[in-house]
């Protein structure tokens, strides 16, 4: 008989009380400014105007998949061509301008037509709503859920003249990967990452420029690094990178900080990205880790010599 999975409902009060001071000490020991250059959040940090921050941030987050050394030059080149104000650029953009900017653009799953949809959609949102925040908040209020709000946001961004675009630039190829609609069961990591940038803070990493969405409503941007760290710390028992797993991890983080549950995300993610807590864990990785007393894996690594995740 197949063993039935017991749902993980978040950390107990006792577990949260033990983990919280360790995670706070870990967070205090990190230098987020030193890691910004390794993160797509570096791009919106070039700007000060909130509209430029939200436009450049969504472009950067949308393309932040695969190897950083491959997507960063693509984002950098596009922003340079868009001039000093990305918001002003997309607000004035039309199909002809999109073709001039994006003909020949290819990055893994995406071609120029895919990016044109994103940029034209942002321009339309700015013209009709004044900001990307206003467009997102409309869906957030209508649906009452973060999943529903993101789904409405991506659907609205994709509401652009597709036939004219296809005629000018050719068919789209990876549009659903860039702007998933319908949203589906995936973790929507890049969109949740974008929301973290816009909503929480301001601090050294996140901007806090969207004031109408509470940080308590955010979902952790779940990727392989956060998934591995979450398993190590007992934040979830799930191993898939789905929306449901992101909800479980966030429920555990909410037990630590109900007001700002994703505040640990940047530090934990970069702890994995930097190689300090890699997929193949060795004793030297674990012995000096501040989180070792709460880790489900570290003691076994030290005892056995290594462990592969």
């Amino acid at each position: 008989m197949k063993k039935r999975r017991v749902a993980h409902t978040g950390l107990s009060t006792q577990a949260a009380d033990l983990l919280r001071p360790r995670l706070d000490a870990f967070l205090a020991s990190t230098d987020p400014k030193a890691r910004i250059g390794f993160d797509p959040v570096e791009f919106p940090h070039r700007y000060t105007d909130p509209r430029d921050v939200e436009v450049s941030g969504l472009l950067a987050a949308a393309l932040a998949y695969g190897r950083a050394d491959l997507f960063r030059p693509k984002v950098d080149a596009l922003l340079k061509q868009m001039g000093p104000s990305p918001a002003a650029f997309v607000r004035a953009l039309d199909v002809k301008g999109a073709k001039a900017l994006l003909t020949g653009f290819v990055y893994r799953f995406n071609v120029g037509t895919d990016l044109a949809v994103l940029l034209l959609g942002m321009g339309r949102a700015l013209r009709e709503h004044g900001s990307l925040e206003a467009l997102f908040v409309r869906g957030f209020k209508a649906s009452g859920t973060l999943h529903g709000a993101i789904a409405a946001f991506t659907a609205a961004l994709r509401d652009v003249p597709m036939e004219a675009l296809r005629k000018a630039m050719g068919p789209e190829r990876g549009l659903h990967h860039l702007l998933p609609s319908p949203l589906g069961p995936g973790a929507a990591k890049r969109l949740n990452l974008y929301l973290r940038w816009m909503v929480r803070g301001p601090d050294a990493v996140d901007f806090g420029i969207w004031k109408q969405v509470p940080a308590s409503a955010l979902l952790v941007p779940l990727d392989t690094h956060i998934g591995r760290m979450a398993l190590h710390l007992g934040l979830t028992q799930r191993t898939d990178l789905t929306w449901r797993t992101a909800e479980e991890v966030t429920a555990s983080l909410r037990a630590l900080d109900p007001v700002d549950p994703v505040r640990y995300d940047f530090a934990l993610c970069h702890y994995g990205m930097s190689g300090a807590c890699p997929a193949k864990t060795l004793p030297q990785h674990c012995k000096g880790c501040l989180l070792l007393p709460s880790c489900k894996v570290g003691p076994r690594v030290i005892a056995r010599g290594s462990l592969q995740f």
Side-chain angles (χ1 to χ4, degrees):
M1 181 180 293
K2 186 177 181 180
K3 186 177 180 180
R4 185 178 180 182
R5 179 188 291 274
V6 178
H8 188 279
T9 57
L11 294 178
S12 67
T13 301
Q14 181 180 13
D17 288 343
L18 287 171
L19 180 57
R20 187 182 300 107
R22 292 165 183 165
L23 265 177
D24 286 343
F26 167 77
L27 195 61
S29 73
T30 64
D31 181 5
K33 290 183 178 180
R35 294 296 305 176
I36 284 178
F38 299 92
D39 194 279
V41 79
E42 68 168 300
F43 294 106
H45 270 284
R46 296 176 178 180
Y47 307 95
T48 56
D49 184 275
R51 304 289 74 80
D52 291 329
V53 169
E54 63 179 9
V55 168
S56 63
L58 185 54
L59 175 62
L63 286 174
Y65 66 92
R67 285 169 40 188
D69 63 329
L70 296 180
F71 73 71
R72 286 171 62 193
K74 295 290 186 179
V75 178
D76 182 62
L78 287 174
L79 289 174
K80 285 178 178 176
Q81 293 177 77
M82 291 164 69
S85 173
F89 180 88
V90 299
R91 197 181 286 115
L93 189 65
D94 57 15
V95 172
K96 182 179 178 180
K99 180 180 180 180
L101 174 70
L102 294 164
T103 294
F105 178 93
V106 178
Y107 174 61
R108 296 193 67 187
F109 309 134
N110 293 120
V111 294
T113 305
D114 304 330
L115 267 293
V117 172
L118 173 62
L119 298 182
L120 289 168
M122 288 195 287
R124 178 179 177 180
L126 293 184
R127 292 191 301 271
E128 295 183 0
H129 302 280
S131 68
L132 299 186
E133 177 188 15
L135 176 63
F136 183 84
V137 168
R138 185 181 70 167
F140 188 59
K141 289 180 176 178
S143 69
T145 68
L146 191 67
H147 193 277
I150 294 176
F153 185 63
T154 57
L157 289 171
R158 288 176 58 160
D159 188 13
V160 298
M162 291 304 302
E163 289 307 314
L165 263 181
R166 291 170 184 143
K167 184 176 180 181
M169 300 179 62
E172 64 273 30
R173 189 172 78 185
L175 182 56
H176 185 73
H177 183 268
L178 194 74
L179 287 173
S181 181
L183 192 57
K189 182 257 182 174
R190 288 168 292 129
L191 288 163
N192 279 306
L193 179 65
Y194 175 67
L195 292 178
R196 198 204 77 207
W197 296 347
M198 297 300 106
V199 171
R200 73 165 307 278
D203 59 19
V205 178
D206 299 321
F207 297 91
I209 59 172
W210 285 13
K211 305 299 185 183
Q212 299 182 68
V213 181
S216 58
L218 295 176
L219 202 68
V220 68
L222 181 67
D223 62 7
T224 55
H225 304 293
I226 289 296
R228 182 170 67 253
M229 297 293 291
L231 280 169
H232 287 194
L233 296 173
L235 303 177
T236 185
Q237 297 170 2
R238 298 176 61 87
T239 57
D240 57 315
L241 301 179
T242 61
W243 188 274
R244 183 176 173 186
T245 302
E247 286 184 320
E248 284 197 3
V249 174
T250 307
S252 292
L253 294 173
R254 197 168 282 120
L256 305 175
D257 189 337
V259 175
D260 189 9
V262 303
R263 69 187 180 97
Y264 302 108
D265 171 64
F266 184 85
L268 288 173
C269 183
H270 279 268
Y271 200 58
M273 286 175 60
S274 68
C277 186
K280 184 176 182 180
T281 312
L282 299 172
Q284 59 264 35
H285 298 132
C286 300
K287 287 181 178 178
C289 179
L290 293 175
L291 299 175
L292 182 62
S294 292
C295 186
K296 312 297 182 186
V297 172
R300 287 158 46 201
V301 171
I302 292 172
R304 294 168 54 182
S306 69
L307 206 62
Q308 178 74 48
F309 272 82

